[in-house]
Amino acid sequence: MSKVMINENEVDIVIGALNPDLTYFMEEWRPVFSRFHLIIVKDPDLKEELKIPEGFNVHVYTKADIDKIAGSTSTSLLFSGYSCRYFGYLVSKRKFIVSIDDDCVPAKDDMGNLIDAVSQHVQNLETPATPFFFNTLYDPYRKGADFVRGYPFSLRSGVTCALSCGLWLNLADYDAPTQALKPTERNSRYVDAVLTVPVKAMMPVSGINIGFNRELVGPALLPALKLEQEGKVRWETVEDLWCGMCVKVVSDHMGIGVKTGLPYVWRNERGDAVASLKKEWEGVKLMEDIVPFFQSLRFSEAAVTAEECVIELAAAVKESLGPSNPVFERAAEAMVQWVKLWKVVKT
């Protein structure tokens, strides 16, 4: 990919802190993070004081800060666990947000070079996406690639990329049943590729390692769907999967793009897949209703912003999915509440 000059003042790195001691995490990321402004949001349920090494431009938000802006009721409903990072999205004032979980450290490419995940996300976002016609050489804007024979010239200018979904090495993002069946399986394949996800194609976005254009789609990256007995580890949550579906359909409607592939991070193991099976099984079943709903969803022509799309989406969720399970009714209410919060904070 051709080198993109990064305005470091346009980027916020958001970290949801579920672990009180961030020393190892921060030191591993120092070569990358030290250039940027960081927003660290402490899980409201975490009682211990955070340990953060010196030498970073960082703003820490705690339960008191979240309560002050969102109200104590919203804090427990919207921002508990990994969802605390969404508060960072809410208070950021910068164009781009890169969000990396605190159980991930920098990965290395096949040549042993440290991967600058932040710069790669920004490069993905600063170069066009091509959702309306698939290029078989993946991202045509990368160095050494171009549009293949037969690609319509009218589509070669591409569209704005709103979301960059990075991958990870070591622990794959399997669900609890799959991870329980393959407890020793690890992802060791580094694939040097970026591609645009085609329009209308659904994907299970994971919030572990993403970058996005906050000004375009910030309101569509939201905490909403909570399982009845949701836990603190990935196998026990579906909030980021729901969020990913929301931002993908909103991006499709707005005519902007989503990329996946580079950059990689190295993800460490946290939690017990077998112990999490009961908690996540509810989410596994819900996906069978969620995917067809999003595939058939249509927005009105009047919805031209992410906020307007989310409000229409919430109404559709309440009408179509709400009667089948109260978890969807609550998700619809949370989506409306989120947009109201977004508007209040941005005014």
Side-chain angles (χ1 to χ4, degrees), residues 29-300:
W29 280 105
R30 186 180 289 277
V32 177
F33 284 0
S34 58
R35 300 163 47 206
F36 300 96
H37 177 252
L38 278 64
I39 294 175
I40 296 179
V41 185
K42 181 183 177 183
D43 177 8
D45 300 327
L46 185 63
K47 304 305 181 184
E48 299 95 328
E49 291 294 320
L50 292 183
K51 295 180 181 179
I52 301 171
E54 295 182 353
F56 294 93
N57 178 16
V58 59
H59 193 138
V60 178
Y61 291 91
T62 66
K63 184 178 185 301
D65 301 307
I66 303 175
D67 287 348
K68 183 178 179 180
I69 293 177
S72 57
T73 302
S74 293
T75 297
S76 59
L77 290 177
L78 297 178
F79 302 114
S80 177
Y82 275 111
S83 295
C84 67
R85 61 159 171 242
Y86 293 99
F87 185 79
Y89 304 172
L90 187 68
V91 297
S92 171
K93 300 185 184 302
R94 307 203 176 192
K95 180 178 180 180
F96 298 122
I97 289 177
V98 173
S99 186
I100 296 176
D101 280 0
D102 66 349
D103 59 356
C104 298
V105 295
K108 293 182 179 179
D109 62 21
D110 285 341
M111 303 297 292
N113 301 311
L114 192 75
I115 298 170
D116 182 346
V118 178
S119 295
Q120 180 68 58
H121 275 305
V122 175
Q123 287 190 46
N124 290 346
L125 296 167
E126 289 275 39
T127 49
T130 53
F132 303 111
F133 202 89
F134 190 80
N135 194 60
T136 51
L137 279 180
Y138 307 114
D139 191 335
Y141 301 98
R142 293 194 71 203
K143 185 178 180 180
D146 211 321
F147 292 96
V148 296
R149 182 169 60 95
Y151 201 101
F153 278 86
S154 60
L155 295 177
R156 294 192 182 194
S157 59
V159 299
T160 301
C161 180
L163 175 65
S164 168
C165 303
L167 303 175
W168 47 95
L169 298 172
N170 192 35
L171 191 67
D173 196 29
Y174 293 146
D175 53 33
T178 306
Q179 188 64 49
L181 287 172
K182 301 179 176 181
T184 62
E185 185 163 298
R186 297 294 180 266
N187 179 33
S188 59
R189 290 187 300 165
Y190 175 85
V191 181
D192 185 15
V194 178
L195 60 89
T196 296
V197 183
V199 65
K200 302 302 181 184
M202 294 292 97
M203 58 184 293
V205 176
S206 174
I208 290 171
N209 169 28
I210 62 171
F212 62 93
N213 186 320
R214 185 193 60 82
E215 296 174 351
L216 276 180
V217 293
L221 283 112
L222 46 80
L225 190 68
K226 303 283 187 178
L227 302 179
E228 291 287 353
Q229 300 181 25
E230 186 162 291
K232 293 286 187 182
V233 297
R234 280 284 162 215
W235 294 308
E236 300 170 0
T237 67
V238 293
E239 51 85 10
D240 57 339
L241 303 182
W242 177 268
C243 165
M245 298 282 191
C246 292
V247 72
K248 182 58 169 64
V249 294
V250 169
S251 296
D252 286 349
H253 172 72
M254 294 175 63
I256 51 185
V258 174
K259 292 183 183 181
T260 185
L262 301 179
Y264 281 86
V265 296
W266 182 275
R267 187 179 174 211
N268 295 308
E269 190 167 1
R270 176 184 287 170
D272 184 326
V274 175
S276 297
L277 259 173
K278 289 184 178 180
K279 290 183 179 180
E280 200 200 38
W281 185 243
E282 179 191 357
V284 172
K285 292 186 293 183
L286 287 178
M287 290 302 292
E288 302 305 316
D289 295 323
I290 291 171
V291 174
F293 165 77
F294 279 107
Q295 287 175 327
S296 63
L297 182 72
R298 298 293 182 271
F299 293 100
S300 73

Side-chain angles (χ1 to χ4, degrees), residues 302-314:
V304 296
T305 66
E307 291 98 323
E308 292 165 345
C309 288
V310 172
I311 292 300
E312 286 196 7
L313 179 52

Side-chain angles (χ1 to χ4, degrees), residues 19-29 51-53 56:
N19 173 26
D21 190 352
L22 296 179
T23 304
Y24 173 74
F25 168 78
M26 298 290 284
E27 291 296 351
E28 289 292 301
W29 280 105
K51 295 180 181 179
I52 301 171
F56 294 93

